Amino acid sequence: MSETEDSWQARVAQFWAEFDESDAERCLKRMRALVEERPAGDPEALAEWGGVHDSLGLEEEAVGPYREALAAGLAPERAHQVTIQLASTLRNLGRTDEALELLDALDAPELGDAPAFFRALVLHSAGRPAEALQTALTALADHLPRYQRSARAYAEELA
């Protein structure tokens, strides 16, 4: 990463450290200034622009920048993060089928059980509570100090 890139990333991190959703206009203005430092179509800038809208509860406005960021070619780990953010946003908008498509296609071992967590939320929002519970319990089973095999079998029975 270049010094300029490091500086921009540090300022974005500072933005999020100071983030205060009670002043949405100020947040949007500050993030807009950061985004405008980058070339048009920059995937990181688009991801951050989507993120600020999402964090302010402006989910509808977050979808486009998230999709554009993914299409513009984010690094794989960052793309995985943005995919989860987009899926969560789509869930909040009631677009559970789209959210599940994204999560079902996601292969992001570096995120641990985060995809399963969000998949369980989406399934619950979609009115599929048994599948949601199964997803959550299956993910949890591997973290148990004992009874993993039994836990996985019980989770499987919920299907």
Side-chain angles (χ1 to χ4, degrees):
M1 207 178 303
S2 71
E3 188 175 326
T4 303
E5 177 73 15
D6 286 343
S7 171
W8 189 80
Q9 292 289 350
R11 287 181 287 120
V12 167
Q14 184 67 34
F15 168 87
W16 289 112
E18 298 170 353
F19 181 77
D20 177 8
E21 70 269 4
S22 70
D23 192 350
E25 189 174 320
R26 181 174 183 268
C27 287
L28 290 169
K29 183 178 178 181
R30 286 185 62 210
M31 182 54 75
R32 171 51 69 196
L34 288 166
V35 166
E36 288 177 351
E37 291 179 23
R38 309 290 285 204
D42 178 79
E44 283 295 331
L46 289 165
E48 295 299 341
W49 189 237
V52 73
H53 284 87
D54 201 2
S55 295
L56 290 169
L58 305 170
E59 286 93 352
E60 199 64 56
E61 291 86 346
V63 172
Y66 279 159
R67 288 196 190 280
E68 291 173 36
L70 290 166
L74 290 165
E77 287 187 20
R78 184 69 166 124
H80 297 162
Q81 294 167 1
V82 172
T83 298
I84 289 212
Q85 290 170 223
L86 174 57
S88 179
T89 298
L90 291 169
R91 179 191 77 85
N92 288 336
L93 292 170
R95 294 160 61 180
T96 55
D97 288 343
E98 289 176 71
L100 281 174
E101 280 181 38
L102 288 170
L103 293 170
D104 288 345
L106 184 61
D107 181 19
E110 78 281 1
L111 294 177
D113 289 322
F117 175 90
F118 285 97
R119 187 174 192 283
L121 281 175
V122 172
L123 287 166
H124 185 271
S125 294
R128 296 160 58 183
E131 289 177 73
L133 182 59
Q134 179 190 31
T135 298
L137 292 178
T138 299
L140 180 61
D142 289 336
H143 301 284
L144 299 176
R146 297 184 61 124
Y147 313 111
Q148 292 176 350
R149 187 173 50 85
S150 297
R152 280 192 290 276
Y154 291 139
E156 186 63 33
E157 287 177 10
L158 294 171

